[in-house]
Amino acid sequence: MTRYRNPILPGFHPDPSIVRVGDDYYLANSTFQWFPGIKLSRSRDLVHWQTVGYALDRLEQLNLRSTDDSMGLWAPTLRFFDGSFYLVVTLVQQFRAGEATRMSQQNLLFTAADINGPWSDPVYLHDLGIDPDIFRDTDGRLYIVSQDTKTGGGPRPERISIHEYDPVGKGLVGQPDPIWDGTELGITEGPHLYHRHGWYYLITAEGGTGYGHAVSLCRSRNLAGPYELAPGNPILTMSGCDGETAKSGHADLVETQNGEWWMVCLGSRPDGRKRCVLGRETFLLPVRWTDDGWLCVNEGRGLEMELPVPDLPECVLPEAETGNFAGPDWQVVRAWSPEHVRVSKDRLLLRARPEPLEDIGAANVVGTRIRHKRFSASVTVSFQPEIESESAGLVCYYDRLHHIGLFLTGTEGLSLEVRVADGAPAKTVARILWTDERDVELRVQSDEESRLQFSARPAGDGEFAEVGACQDGSILSDECAGVVFTWASFTGAFMCLHASGNGSRSDRWAEFSAFVYRSE
């Protein structure tokens, strides 16, 4: 293998942070309102990745029960110092964008001796802003570097501050020290600080996490500054480009054991209407230090899809089985409740709770990331609804007001219904009577432009019968969800399973099995 394809982590994998420990590389990604929180991945060649699990998998670490869509865990930084992993992250409880921006958040620190855990309970850091980084200086002292919207005194609402951290006392020392005011691109966030050859290098994300997103770089001889901006900044952006990739930003750097430097960053693959159903994905780019000590990213060619592999031995790691419901690629919206969700390797049981998908209290929305533009997914459902409102089905899900699904329902005896939520509670757009009392196999297929076709058959028997016309899957994107909410939308499409009484109390359980997801 001489070349690799981007993204290295397809589908919803935003805000990547990377660290090397010996010959192993570890990545952390934001998970927002999905539980468990902060996805962790491992590689030995930077190209092939394996899901390790999640750092925050206990309610005492993370309770997202009342957390709205696109809130929750934002922009982690993963580092390794003196035999311990350090993870710092923002937990956002409230965010409203616009002229009267309001935010309620905490910045938290977790540690573990092993990437597989157990990870510690949270250590509270501060609420100055978002996107914390943890940096160890040459003298061994640790610093929290983060966006700062509260210190004030800068020319823009956001700036970058540093704050010393005491690992023994598990707290911050002194007051925050602003070190960088950002550039005219604005929305300065996602800082990562590095030390190399006597220089402190500060990378930030700027321009907002949309089509104007960018990576900026500055440096200083002193930790506290002043910092000078890189010539020709930003060092990476796809702003103004009209290609198959977009939204490049929020970068982190790693040096290989062979002395190469690489950048991981987020990016997206828009469809023909500039909608990114797969969300913000993780890309890998080569970087080079110039003779005058600045960074050149991919020789200035931006976010490319195919590139030469790193100078590392190829190592293909086994991937998790998507059909294994107990595997690491499955998550639940907000909170996992054993009272309503029961999992084994090949079976998933969901209680048909009263809350519909649109309810923030829905506690049994279980899903895995959609990773391809062209895909198919199918699942066998065993469910006997006894009242009209009960349903169980297969759902392409972005958030509680943006989803499209095929459900087995109690309507008119037994029916199959396609329901669409496009910024409002779901409406039934297609229905067929289903007279076969055997388990039903539900299927969805997507093309390059996110047109979704649902179909069904008796489990494993005969041809699939289409249910309704193709549906517009592009509503499952940041671009569409962000129009509805007064906050931005930051996630990506999931393939979910769900059961509900849709307003009625129910003790019925739906059984899901034989889940298959494949690229087409």
Side-chain angles (χ1 to χ4, degrees), residues 1 56 67 101-102 163 168 227 250 255 265 333 368 387 409 435 490 505:
M1 179 178 177
L56 312 184
T67 301
T101 298
R102 301 195 308 276
H163 209 152
V168 177
Y227 283 78
H250 207 105
E255 183 182 11
C265 66
V333 177
T368 186
I387 58 177
T409 79
T435 57
F490 303 126
R505 291 188 60 84

Side-chain angles (χ1 to χ4, degrees), residues 199-210:
W199 288 100
Y200 293 91
Y201 290 90
L202 177 66
I203 279 183
T204 60
E206 293 195 297
T209 189

